[in-house]
Amino acid sequence: MYNLRIDVLRGISIALVLLHHFNIPYKLQDTWLGFQIFGESFSTLLARNGNYGVTLFFVISGFLITGHSLRRQENLAQLDVKAFYIRRIARIIPCLLLLLLIVTGLGSLGLAPFLNHAPQQIEVSDQATVLAALGFYMNLLIIQYGWVNYALGVLWSLSVEEVFYLFFPILCIVTRRRSLLVVVLLAVIAYAPYFRSLYYLNENEAYLYHYFASFDAIAFGCLSALLASRVKLPQHSVRWLGYLCMGLMCVLYLYAPIKQVSTWSMSVFAILAAILLWVYDQPRVLKKTNKLTQACVWLGQHSYELYLFHLIELGLIKVMSLPAETPTIFKLPLLLLYLFVSCVLAKLIERYYSSPLNHWIRDKFLTH
């Protein structure tokens, strides 16, 4: 069943990621968004913790995958593994292949954001980067060699997500009982903060980008879907609990740079997001949506295409206007241009490429 509120959350998540990535090269603190609040510039508070947006994506992904699997097969031990993998391939692979094709093509023109670099003075071949992308270990490549390819950096999170889902149906079948699945998910959740503490502030940033640094967010989403399928909240508590979770998530987002508090903050943010999704899964009468909500829904519906391809637009903008040489007066117009072009490209890719291929693969290989 379609849930508009989840698309709103995805829209907010991708907006935070887009702003975060723009603010890295084009610091906005010297624009009118840089006014002081809580001893920091507003632009810094708003943009520095875009990684929480990815954490929210992970929780939503775990929630949706588990929820959809439960609706198709209430007993997860009988999950159709082949169908599960085909659905993931249909959604993920077409855009991934297109991204690799575009980045390779732009790199062949000698454009710096699309070429491999050696931030740790170790050369990494194009073939190695492509294999890491297709093999879902781009995060490990980044941890070992640094951010070797700007435009492909976003694939670290895809690597985390897809490796989790590679094992998810196997885990459902092996555990057989829902209670055992819950125990395994709780073990993953318990291990993540410990893992992040082992690599806390390490230069390779494994505490942010390793599988075990992020699996807990997806596991929280899975647990939330399992809970939502069994336990419904009293109607009088739905609204206030939702507002409480959103308020605490905002406080945590603004509290400190994620790198400084990642050991515990990523898990806390994920559990708040998981509770919020449980709340949003409760049946409620929706009021008429306003323009801002509609915009967030649109962003959420195109979040995958926006996420994968937005660094292409930003990379091209960096080629045209070098960040170090960009006057302050041009930064906000560049931000608007970046957002507009990202949205247009995402829509075109979704309408004419990813959705048609998604449907074709499902129709071709799924037995109805």
Side-chain angles (χ1 to χ4, degrees), residues 89-120:
I89 289 170
R91 181 64 181 124
I92 296 298
I93 297 302
C95 282
L96 175 57
L97 293 176
L98 180 62
L99 175 66
L100 292 173
L101 181 63
I102 293 175
V103 171
T104 301
L106 292 172
S108 69
L109 299 177
L111 301 178
F114 310 99
L115 294 170
N116 277 9
H117 299 277
Q120 297 180 7

Side-chain angles (χ1 to χ4, degrees), residues 62 65-66 84 158-169 171 185 188 211 214-220 222:
I65 290 293
T66 307
F84 180 91
L158 188 65
S159 298
V160 170
E161 186 175 346
E162 292 313 307
V163 166
F164 188 97
Y165 290 124
L166 179 65
F167 291 100
F168 178 76
L171 184 62
L185 292 173
V188 171
Y211 300 114
S214 302
F215 276 171
D216 60 330
I218 306 176
F220 271 124
C222 297

Side-chain angles (χ1 to χ4, degrees), residues 330-342:
F330 291 147
K331 289 184 179 180
L332 289 180
L334 281 178
L335 173 61
L336 294 177
L337 174 65
Y338 155 65
L339 295 176
F340 175 76
V341 175
S342 295

Side-chain angles (χ1 to χ4, degrees), residues 1 18 70 239 245 265 268 298 314-315 321 339 349:
M1 183 182 296
L18 294 177
L70 286 169
R239 184 183 297 272
C245 287
S265 69
V268 173
W298 190 94
L314 189 51
S321 181
L339 295 176
I349 291 172

Side-chain angles (χ1 to χ4, degrees), residues 49 51-52 55 192-193 196 200 207-208 213 216-217 220 248-249 251-253 255-273:
N49 283 333
N51 282 72
Y52 282 127
T55 300
R196 291 195 291 268
Y200 178 63
Y207 61 96
L208 289 178
D216 60 330
F220 271 124
L248 291 175
M249 290 167 71
V251 170
L252 185 55
Y253 184 90
Y255 171 65
I258 191 172
K259 293 184 178 182
Q260 296 179 8
V261 293
S262 60
T263 299
W264 58 269
S265 69
M266 292 170 70
S267 291
V268 173
F269 193 88
I271 194 171
L272 289 171

